[in-house]
Amino acid sequence: MLSALFFYLFAFVLIASALMVVSAKNPVHAVLFLILAFFNAAGLFILLGAEFLAMILVVVYVGAVMVLFLFVVMMLDVSFAELRSGAVKVLPIGLLVGFIFLFELLFVVGAWVAAPKLVSDAPMPPPSEVSNTRALGELLYTDYVYLFQAAGLILLVAMIGAIVLTLHHRRDVKRQNISDQVARNPETAIEVVKVESGRGLQ
């Protein structure tokens, strides 16, 4: 009874916060409602016994992505009036795309049929003495270790590509030159000047 009560509580707050994300006029409020939705989704994962997914959802999405979005939205000087005026122009296209997505979802849900041997062919759950985190780690680093490493390389290439595309060298900005700094010696780095009393450097 208690688990069912928490399930309905988390589910209700999750749906309400998701609706507020798409209906909030202030982007900062939308990001805050999205953080609330992620927390409630993590609560649902805990009720299902998937504590690792709940931890990843809170640490990665709430702790990193959503906080980054919040700081970006708060620091950028965005003219929301211009955004709203531009959104009105593309409203028919947005409604058309939304109806297409709705039709696809209804088609998938209506045509979905469970396989006859779905329950019998389902993988066996891990033993009770092994936690979900340990079972997932053993699976990732044994059977799927190459795919896991490939995913890491893809993310690394994407990160390097983003840095290369956004890095611009401006000539009017002073930058460090490590080779010049290392090659300096006392003769070129220090200049001894004799200053007369009561007079400054010209």
Coordinates of all heavy atoms in Angstrom, one line a residue, residues 15-80:
I15 N 4.1 13.9 -14.2 CA 3.2 14.4 -15.3 C 2.9 15.9 -15.2 O 3.0 16.6 -16.2 CB 1.9 13.5 -15.3 CG1 2.2 12.1 -15.6 CG2 1.0 14.1 -16.4 CD1 1.0 11.2 -15.6
A16 N 2.6 16.3 -14.0 CA 2.3 17.8 -13.8 C 3.5 18.6 -14.1 O 3.4 19.7 -14.8 CB 1.8 18.0 -12.4
S17 N 4.7 18.2 -13.6 CA 5.9 19.0 -13.9 C 6.3 19.0 -15.4 O 6.8 20.0 -16.0 CB 7.1 18.5 -13.1 OG 7.3 17.2 -13.3
A18 N 6.0 17.8 -16.1 CA 6.3 17.7 -17.5 C 5.4 18.7 -18.3 O 5.8 19.3 -19.3 CB 6.1 16.3 -18.0
L19 N 4.1 18.8 -17.9 CA 3.2 19.7 -18.5 C 3.6 21.1 -18.3 O 3.5 22.0 -19.2 CB 1.8 19.5 -18.0 CG 1.1 18.2 -18.4 CD1 -0.3 18.0 -17.8 CD2 1.0 18.1 -20.0
M20 N 4.1 21.4 -17.1 CA 4.6 22.8 -16.8 C 5.8 23.1 -17.6 O 6.1 24.3 -17.9 CB 4.8 23.0 -15.3 CG 3.6 22.9 -14.5 SD 2.4 24.2 -14.9 CE 3.3 25.7 -14.6
V21 N 6.6 22.1 -17.9 CA 7.8 22.4 -18.7 C 7.5 23.0 -20.1 O 8.1 23.9 -20.6 CB 8.7 21.1 -18.9 CG1 9.8 21.3 -19.9 CG2 9.3 20.7 -17.6
V22 N 6.5 22.4 -20.7 CA 6.1 22.8 -22.1 C 5.1 24.0 -22.1 O 4.9 24.7 -23.1 CB 5.5 21.7 -22.9 CG1 6.5 20.6 -23.1 CG2 4.2 21.1 -22.2
S23 N 4.6 24.3 -20.9 CA 3.6 25.4 -20.9 C 4.1 26.7 -20.1 O 3.5 27.7 -20.2 CB 2.3 25.0 -20.2 OG 2.6 24.5 -18.9
A24 N 5.3 26.6 -19.5 CA 5.8 27.7 -18.8 C 6.3 28.8 -19.7 O 7.0 28.4 -20.7 CB 6.9 27.3 -17.8
K25 N 6.0 30.0 -19.5 CA 6.4 31.1 -20.3 C 7.9 31.5 -20.0 O 8.5 32.0 -20.9 CB 5.5 32.3 -20.1 CG 4.1 32.0 -20.6 CD 3.2 33.3 -20.4 CE 1.8 33.0 -20.9 NZ 0.9 34.2 -20.7
N26 N 8.3 31.3 -18.8 CA 9.7 31.7 -18.5 C 10.6 30.5 -18.6 O 10.3 29.4 -18.0 CB 9.7 32.2 -17.0 CG 11.0 32.9 -16.7 OD1 12.0 32.6 -17.3 ND2 11.0 33.8 -15.7
P27 N 11.6 30.6 -19.4 CA 12.5 29.4 -19.6 C 13.2 28.9 -18.3 O 13.4 27.8 -18.1 CB 13.6 29.9 -20.6 CG 12.9 31.0 -21.3 CD 12.0 31.7 -20.3
V28 N 13.5 29.9 -17.4 CA 14.1 29.5 -16.1 C 13.1 28.6 -15.3 O 13.5 27.6 -14.8 CB 14.5 30.7 -15.3 CG1 15.0 30.3 -13.9 CG2 15.5 31.5 -16.1
H29 N 11.8 29.0 -15.3 CA 10.8 28.1 -14.6 C 10.7 26.8 -15.3 O 10.5 25.8 -14.7 CB 9.5 28.9 -14.6 CG 9.5 30.1 -13.8 ND1 8.5 31.1 -13.9 CD2 10.4 30.6 -13.0 CE1 8.8 32.1 -13.1 NE2 10.0 31.8 -12.5
A30 N 10.8 26.8 -16.7 CA 10.7 25.5 -17.4 C 11.8 24.6 -17.0 O 11.6 23.3 -16.8 CB 10.7 25.8 -18.9
V31 N 13.0 25.1 -16.9 CA 14.2 24.3 -16.5 C 14.0 23.8 -15.1 O 14.3 22.6 -14.7 CB 15.5 25.1 -16.6 CG1 16.7 24.3 -16.0 CG2 15.8 25.4 -18.1
L32 N 13.5 24.6 -14.2 CA 13.3 24.1 -12.8 C 12.2 23.0 -12.7 O 12.4 22.1 -12.0 CB 12.9 25.3 -11.9 CG 13.9 26.4 -11.7 CD1 13.4 27.6 -10.9 CD2 15.1 25.8 -11.0
F33 N 11.2 23.2 -13.5 CA 10.1 22.1 -13.6 C 10.7 20.8 -14.2 O 10.4 19.7 -13.8 CB 8.9 22.6 -14.4 CG 8.0 23.4 -13.6 CD1 7.7 24.7 -14.0 CD2 7.3 22.9 -12.5 CE1 6.9 25.5 -13.2 CE2 6.5 23.7 -11.7 CZ 6.2 25.0 -12.1
L34 N 11.6 21.0 -15.1 CA 12.3 19.8 -15.7 C 13.2 19.1 -14.7 O 13.2 17.8 -14.6 CB 13.1 20.2 -16.9 CG 13.7 19.1 -17.8 CD1 12.6 18.1 -18.3 CD2 14.5 19.6 -18.9
I35 N 13.8 19.8 -13.8 CA 14.6 19.2 -12.7 C 13.7 18.5 -11.8 O 14.0 17.4 -11.3 CB 15.4 20.3 -12.0 CG1 16.5 20.9 -12.9 CG2 16.0 19.8 -10.7 CD1 17.3 22.1 -12.3
L36 N 12.5 19.1 -11.5 CA 11.6 18.4 -10.6 C 11.1 17.1 -11.3 O 10.9 16.1 -10.6 CB 10.4 19.3 -10.3 CG 9.3 18.8 -9.4 CD1 9.8 18.4 -8.1 CD2 8.1 19.8 -9.3
A37 N 10.9 17.1 -12.6 CA 10.4 15.9 -13.3 C 11.5 14.8 -13.2 O 11.2 13.7 -13.0 CB 10.1 16.3 -14.7
F38 N 12.8 15.2 -13.4 CA 13.8 14.2 -13.3 C 13.9 13.6 -11.9 O 14.1 12.4 -11.7 CB 15.2 14.8 -13.6 CG 15.4 15.0 -15.1 CD1 16.1 16.1 -15.6 CD2 14.8 14.1 -16.0 CE1 16.3 16.2 -17.0 CE2 15.0 14.2 -17.4 CZ 15.7 15.3 -17.9
F39 N 13.7 14.4 -10.8 CA 13.8 13.9 -9.5 C 12.6 12.9 -9.3 O 12.8 11.8 -8.6 CB 13.7 15.0 -8.5 CG 15.0 15.6 -8.1 CD1 15.3 16.9 -8.4 CD2 15.9 14.8 -7.3 CE1 16.6 17.4 -8.0 CE2 17.1 15.3 -7.0 CZ 17.5 16.6 -7.3
N40 N 11.4 13.1 -9.8 CA 10.3 12.2 -9.6 C 10.5 11.0 -10.4 O 10.1 9.9 -10.0 CB 9.0 12.9 -10.0 CG 8.6 13.9 -8.9 OD1 7.9 13.6 -7.9 ND2 8.9 15.2 -9.1
A41 N 11.1 11.1 -11.6 CA 11.4 9.9 -12.4 C 12.5 9.0 -11.7 O 12.4 7.8 -11.7 CB 12.0 10.3 -13.8
A42 N 13.4 9.7 -11.0 CA 14.4 8.9 -10.2 C 13.7 8.2 -9.1 O 14.0 7.0 -8.7 CB 15.5 9.8 -9.7
G43 N 12.7 8.8 -8.5 CA 11.9 8.1 -7.4 C 11.2 6.9 -8.0 O 11.1 5.9 -7.3
L44 N 10.6 7.0 -9.2 CA 10.0 5.9 -9.8 C 11.0 4.7 -10.0 O 10.7 3.5 -9.9 CB 9.3 6.3 -11.1 CG 8.1 7.2 -10.9 CD1 7.5 7.6 -12.3 CD2 7.0 6.5 -10.1
F45 N 12.2 5.1 -10.5 CA 13.2 4.1 -10.7 C 13.6 3.4 -9.4 O 13.8 2.2 -9.4 CB 14.5 4.7 -11.3 CG 14.3 4.9 -12.8 CD1 14.7 6.1 -13.4 CD2 13.9 3.9 -13.6 CE1 14.6 6.3 -14.8 CE2 13.8 4.0 -15.0 CZ 14.1 5.3 -15.6
I46 N 13.6 4.1 -8.3 CA 13.9 3.5 -7.0 C 12.8 2.5 -6.6 O 13.1 1.4 -6.1 CB 14.1 4.6 -5.9 CG1 15.4 5.4 -6.2 CG2 14.2 4.0 -4.5 CD1 15.7 6.5 -5.3
L47 N 11.6 2.9 -6.9 CA 10.5 2.0 -6.5 C 10.5 0.7 -7.4 O 10.1 -0.4 -6.9 CB 9.1 2.7 -6.8 CG 8.8 3.8 -5.8 CD1 7.4 4.4 -6.2 CD2 8.7 3.3 -4.4
L48 N 11.1 0.8 -8.6 CA 11.2 -0.4 -9.4 C 12.5 -1.2 -9.1 O 12.7 -2.3 -9.7 CB 11.3 0.0 -10.9 CG 10.0 0.6 -11.5 CD1 10.3 1.1 -12.9 CD2 8.9 -0.4 -11.5
G49 N 13.3 -0.7 -8.2 CA 14.5 -1.4 -7.8 C 15.7 -1.1 -8.6 O 16.7 -1.8 -8.5
A50 N 15.6 -0.1 -9.5 CA 16.7 0.3 -10.3 C 17.4 1.5 -9.7 O 17.3 2.6 -10.2 CB 16.2 0.5 -11.8
E51 N 18.1 1.3 -8.7 CA 18.8 2.4 -8.0 C 19.9 3.0 -8.8 O 20.2 4.2 -8.7 CB 19.3 2.0 -6.6 CG 20.5 1.1 -6.6 CD 20.1 -0.4 -6.8 OE1 18.9 -0.7 -6.9 OE2 21.0 -1.2 -6.9
F52 N 20.5 2.2 -9.6 CA 21.6 2.8 -10.5 C 21.1 3.8 -11.5 O 21.7 4.9 -11.7 CB 22.4 1.6 -11.2 CG 23.5 2.1 -12.0 CD1 24.7 2.5 -11.5 CD2 23.4 2.2 -13.4 CE1 25.8 2.9 -12.2 CE2 24.4 2.6 -14.2 CZ 25.6 3.0 -13.6
L53 N 20.0 3.5 -12.1 CA 19.4 4.4 -13.1 C 18.9 5.7 -12.4 O 19.0 6.8 -12.9 CB 18.2 3.7 -13.8 CG 18.6 2.6 -14.7 CD1 17.3 2.0 -15.4 CD2 19.5 3.1 -15.8
A54 N 18.4 5.5 -11.2 CA 18.0 6.7 -10.4 C 19.2 7.6 -10.1 O 19.1 8.8 -10.2 CB 17.3 6.3 -9.1
M55 N 20.3 7.0 -9.7 CA 21.5 7.8 -9.3 C 22.0 8.4 -10.6 O 22.4 9.6 -10.5 CB 22.5 6.8 -8.7 CG 23.8 7.5 -8.4 SD 25.1 6.4 -7.7 CE 25.3 5.4 -9.2
I56 N 22.1 7.7 -11.7 CA 22.6 8.3 -12.9 C 21.7 9.5 -13.4 O 22.2 10.5 -13.8 CB 22.7 7.3 -14.0 CG1 23.8 6.3 -13.7 CG2 22.9 7.9 -15.4 CD1 25.2 6.9 -13.7
L57 N 20.4 9.3 -13.2 CA 19.4 10.4 -13.6 C 19.7 11.6 -12.8 O 19.6 12.7 -13.3 CB 18.0 9.9 -13.5 CG 16.9 10.7 -14.1 CD1 17.1 10.8 -15.6 CD2 15.5 10.2 -13.7
V58 N 19.9 11.5 -11.5 CA 20.1 12.6 -10.6 C 21.5 13.3 -10.9 O 21.6 14.5 -11.0 CB 19.9 12.2 -9.2 CG1 20.3 13.4 -8.3 CG2 18.4 11.8 -8.9
V59 N 22.5 12.4 -10.9 CA 23.9 12.9 -11.0 C 24.1 13.6 -12.4 O 24.6 14.7 -12.5 CB 24.9 11.8 -10.7 CG1 26.3 12.3 -11.0 CG2 24.8 11.4 -9.3
V60 N 23.8 12.9 -13.5 CA 24.1 13.3 -14.8 C 23.1 14.4 -15.3 O 23.6 15.5 -15.6 CB 24.1 12.1 -15.8 CG1 24.4 12.6 -17.2 CG2 25.2 11.1 -15.4
Y61 N 21.8 14.1 -15.3 CA 20.9 15.0 -15.9 C 20.6 16.2 -15.0 O 20.6 17.4 -15.4 CB 19.6 14.3 -16.2 CG 19.7 13.4 -17.4 CD1 20.0 12.1 -17.3 CD2 19.5 14.0 -18.7 CE1 20.1 11.3 -18.5 CE2 19.6 13.2 -19.8 CZ 19.9 11.8 -19.7 OH 20.1 11.1 -20.8
V62 N 20.4 16.0 -13.7 CA 20.1 17.1 -12.8 C 21.3 17.8 -12.4 O 21.4 19.0 -12.4 CB 19.3 16.5 -11.5 CG1 19.0 17.7 -10.6 CG2 18.0 15.9 -11.9
G63 N 22.4 17.0 -12.0 CA 23.6 17.7 -11.5 C 24.4 18.3 -12.5 O 25.2 19.2 -12.2
A64 N 24.3 17.9 -13.8 CA 25.2 18.5 -14.8 C 24.4 19.2 -15.9 O 24.6 20.4 -16.1 CB 26.1 17.3 -15.4
V65 N 23.6 18.4 -16.6 CA 22.9 19.0 -17.8 C 22.0 20.1 -17.4 O 22.0 21.2 -18.0 CB 22.3 17.8 -18.6 CG1 21.5 18.4 -19.8 CG2 23.3 16.8 -19.0
M66 N 21.1 19.8 -16.5 CA 20.0 20.8 -16.2 C 20.6 22.0 -15.5 O 20.2 23.1 -15.7 CB 19.0 20.2 -15.3 CG 18.0 19.2 -16.0 SD 17.1 20.1 -17.4 CE 18.0 19.6 -18.8
V67 N 21.6 21.8 -14.6 CA 22.3 23.0 -14.0 C 23.0 23.8 -15.1 O 23.0 25.1 -15.0 CB 23.2 22.5 -12.9 CG1 24.0 23.7 -12.4 CG2 22.5 21.8 -11.8
L68 N 23.6 23.2 -16.1 CA 24.2 23.9 -17.2 C 23.2 24.7 -18.0 O 23.4 25.8 -18.3 CB 25.0 22.9 -18.1 CG 25.6 23.5 -19.3 CD1 26.7 24.5 -18.9 CD2 26.2 22.4 -20.2
F69 N 22.1 24.0 -18.3 CA 21.0 24.7 -19.0 C 20.5 25.9 -18.2 O 20.2 27.0 -18.7 CB 19.8 23.8 -19.2 CG 20.1 22.8 -20.4 CD1 19.2 21.8 -20.7 CD2 21.2 22.9 -21.1 CE1 19.4 21.0 -21.7 CE2 21.5 22.0 -22.2 CZ 20.5 21.1 -22.5
L70 N 20.4 25.7 -16.9 CA 19.9 26.8 -16.0 C 20.8 28.0 -16.0 O 20.4 29.2 -16.2 CB 19.7 26.3 -14.6 CG 19.1 27.3 -13.6 CD1 17.7 27.8 -14.0 CD2 19.0 26.7 -12.2
F71 N 22.1 27.8 -15.9 CA 23.1 28.8 -15.9 C 23.1 29.5 -17.3 O 23.3 30.7 -17.4 CB 24.5 28.3 -15.5 CG 24.7 28.2 -14.0 CD1 24.6 27.0 -13.4 CD2 24.9 29.4 -13.3 CE1 24.8 27.0 -12.0 CE2 25.1 29.3 -11.9 CZ 25.1 28.1 -11.3
V72 N 23.0 28.7 -18.3 CA 23.1 29.3 -19.7 C 21.9 30.2 -19.9 O 22.0 31.3 -20.4 CB 23.1 28.2 -20.7 CG1 22.9 28.8 -22.1 CG2 24.5 27.5 -20.7
V73 N 20.7 29.7 -19.5 CA 19.5 30.5 -19.7 C 19.5 31.8 -18.8 O 19.1 32.9 -19.3 CB 18.2 29.7 -19.3 CG1 17.0 30.5 -19.3 CG2 18.1 28.6 -20.4
M74 N 20.0 31.7 -17.6 CA 20.1 32.9 -16.7 C 21.1 33.9 -17.2 O 20.9 35.1 -17.0 CB 20.3 32.4 -15.3 CG 19.2 31.6 -14.7 SD 19.5 31.1 -13.0 CE 19.6 32.6 -12.2
M75 N 22.2 33.4 -17.7 CA 23.3 34.3 -18.1 C 23.1 35.0 -19.4 O 23.6 36.1 -19.6 CB 24.7 33.6 -18.0 CG 25.1 33.3 -16.6 SD 26.8 32.6 -16.6 CE 26.7 31.2 -17.5
L76 N 22.5 34.3 -20.4 CA 22.3 34.9 -21.7 C 21.2 35.9 -21.7 O 20.2 35.7 -21.1 CB 22.0 33.8 -22.7 CG 23.1 32.8 -23.0 CD1 22.6 31.8 -24.0 CD2 24.3 33.5 -23.6
D77 N 21.5 37.0 -22.3 CA 20.5 38.0 -22.4 C 19.6 37.8 -23.6 O 19.8 38.3 -24.7 CB 21.1 39.4 -22.6 CG 20.2 40.6 -22.5 OD1 19.0 40.3 -22.1 OD2 20.5 41.7 -22.8
V78 N 18.5 36.9 -23.4 CA 17.7 36.5 -24.5 C 16.4 37.4 -24.5 O 15.8 37.6 -23.4 CB 17.3 35.0 -24.3 CG1 16.4 34.6 -25.5 CG2 18.6 34.2 -24.3
S79 N 16.1 37.9 -25.6 CA 14.8 38.6 -25.8 C 13.7 37.7 -26.0 O 13.5 37.2 -27.1 CB 15.0 39.6 -27.0 OG 13.8 40.3 -27.1
F80 N 12.9 37.4 -25.0 CA 11.8 36.5 -25.1 C 10.7 37.0 -25.9 O 9.9 36.2 -26.5 CB 11.3 36.1 -23.7 CG 12.4 35.5 -22.8 CD1 12.9 36.2 -21.7 CD2 12.9 34.2 -23.1 CE1 13.9 35.6 -20.9 CE2 13.9 33.7 -22.3 CZ 14.4 34.4 -21.2

